[in-house]
Every structure is written in C-alpha cells, then in structure tokens.
Amino acid sequence: MAGVGTKEATLGGRAVGKPGFVEYRVEGAYQLGERQGRRVEAFLLAARLTGYVAARRGSVTLWYDYLSGDEAPGTGVNHAFNTLFATNHKFYGIADLFTDIPVHTGGHGLQDAALKLALAPVKELQLALDGHAFRLARRGALPSAHLGEELDLVATWRYGAHLVLSGGLGLVRDGPALRSLGRLDGDLAFTYLMLDARF
C-alpha cells in the first residue's frame, strides 16, 4: 500500500496470560498518518482464549479478529486497517482468501470469528481443525457483509529435527460479499502437501 503521499505509523500492544490450563491473548493496533494522499485512522482488535485438555496434548481456541474498514472506500478518511507484511495465511485460513488486507476485502475491513481444535495423539503428529466465519467490518454499498465460511483440516508429522511433512484440506463456502468483490464465484476446495527438509 506504500506510494506517493504515504507516511503512516502503526502503534499497538498486547496482553498475554497463562493461568493454569487456560491461555489468553488480547491485542490492539492503531494506524495513523497518510496513505496515498488520504488521512489514515484505522484499528485492529483481536482476542483469543485457549483451553488445554488431555495433559496439554489437545486444545480448544475461541478466536475473534476485527480489522476496521471503510463504508465508502476511496473517499474521505481512510479507515481500512492494513496488515502490512503480515503472514495472513497463518491467521485467516489456508485457502489464502485474505493475504492482502485491505485489498482483498475491498477496503471494507474484516471480521473473523473462529473455533480452533488441536490434538497431538502422539508426539510426532499434530492435527488441527479450524472453522472460520468471515464478515466485512463495513458493508458499504455491497448487498451483504457475509464473506463466507472456511473449514481447514491440517496434519503435520515431524520426523526428527530435519524432516517435516504436512498436508491440509480447506473447504470454503462463498458468500455474497466474496462474489461482489470478485474473490470467488462458487465454493472452493483447496489441498496441499508439503515436505520441509533441512540438512
């Protein structure tokens, strides 16, 4: 998002705690300055709560992210939060629908409500099942704020310190906002298999 007339800063903080078998994280960030000739006033709020089970071999996480957006992108003050150089793949689903925010949300921001389950039945194997419900922060002139839902299943096998095999399946049910933004035109199934060897 850098360019002529861009001079902005991001300020933020977070609180983390691990009381007993529960872990929480709350964070926020505020962006100000100028982006491509427009004043910027944008923010991010995020909260997650994780409970551990089975001697910490399993976990359940409740997750909510809110990235502010514009009602009328391209006019007035820019309220669209920019994730800059973030690894959005890590946070917003393996199908990579939102790797460039605010571009991939049309400047309308993003809400992500998620439920994440993880289990390590044996030391070398990690299983994760994540469900996301995506909405725009601001609908603007679009017919709906409903972006869609994504369900991800990922398995990771660590064979020693130098070899990791992982695979995943992501299922996306597209919503009216994804279609209006030109991001999807129908449901999506995404799979991958990756071998990471380090010697």
Side-chain angles (χ1 to χ4, degrees), residues 11-199:
L11 309 172
R14 67 176 182 168
V16 178
K18 296 182 180 181
F21 288 95
V22 175
E23 178 178 343
Y24 67 85
R25 185 166 81 181
V26 179
E27 56 189 306
Y30 183 75
Q31 292 179 334
L32 68 162
E34 187 175 321
R35 183 186 304 156
Q36 296 179 331
R38 294 171 57 208
R39 192 167 91 250
V40 174
E41 295 177 5
F43 66 93
L44 171 148
L45 295 174
R48 54 203 74 167
L49 178 67
T50 299
Y52 292 96
V53 296
R56 289 191 172 263
R57 289 188 294 110
S59 66
V60 179
T61 299
L62 297 175
W63 166 304
Y64 180 73
D65 282 3
Y66 185 98
L67 289 71
S68 66
D70 281 325
E71 280 288 344
T75 63
V77 177
N78 192 334
H79 295 292
F81 190 86
N82 184 354
T83 54
L84 300 171
F85 309 107
T87 54
N88 290 339
H89 171 93
K90 178 179 176 182
F91 300 105
Y92 304 125
I94 65 171
D96 283 341
L97 293 174
F98 309 109
T99 57
D100 188 352
I101 300 172
V103 173
H104 289 166
T105 60
H108 292 286
L110 178 68
Q111 298 181 69
D112 177 18
L115 172 65
K116 302 191 171 200
L117 309 176
L119 178 65
V122 294
K123 181 181 178 181
E124 298 82 6
L125 179 63
Q126 178 75 37
L127 302 174
L129 179 65
D130 298 348
H132 297 267
F134 297 115
R135 301 291 185 273
L136 294 173
R138 292 285 182 266
R139 189 182 79 180
L142 297 178
S144 172
H146 176 205
L147 288 164
E149 290 75 41
E150 180 172 344
L151 184 66
D152 297 329
L153 175 62
V154 175
T156 304
W157 177 268
R158 298 184 181 277
Y159 186 78
H162 304 290
L163 191 63
V164 178
L165 177 66
S166 65
L169 168 66
L171 301 174
V172 179
R173 187 176 69 175
D174 75 329
L178 276 177
R179 293 193 291 272
S180 296
L181 293 169
R183 298 291 296 139
L184 273 185
D185 187 16
D187 296 344
L188 171 73
F190 172 83
T191 61
Y192 79 91
L193 184 64
M194 181 174 66
L195 179 64
D196 185 1
R198 302 177 185 181
F199 299 102

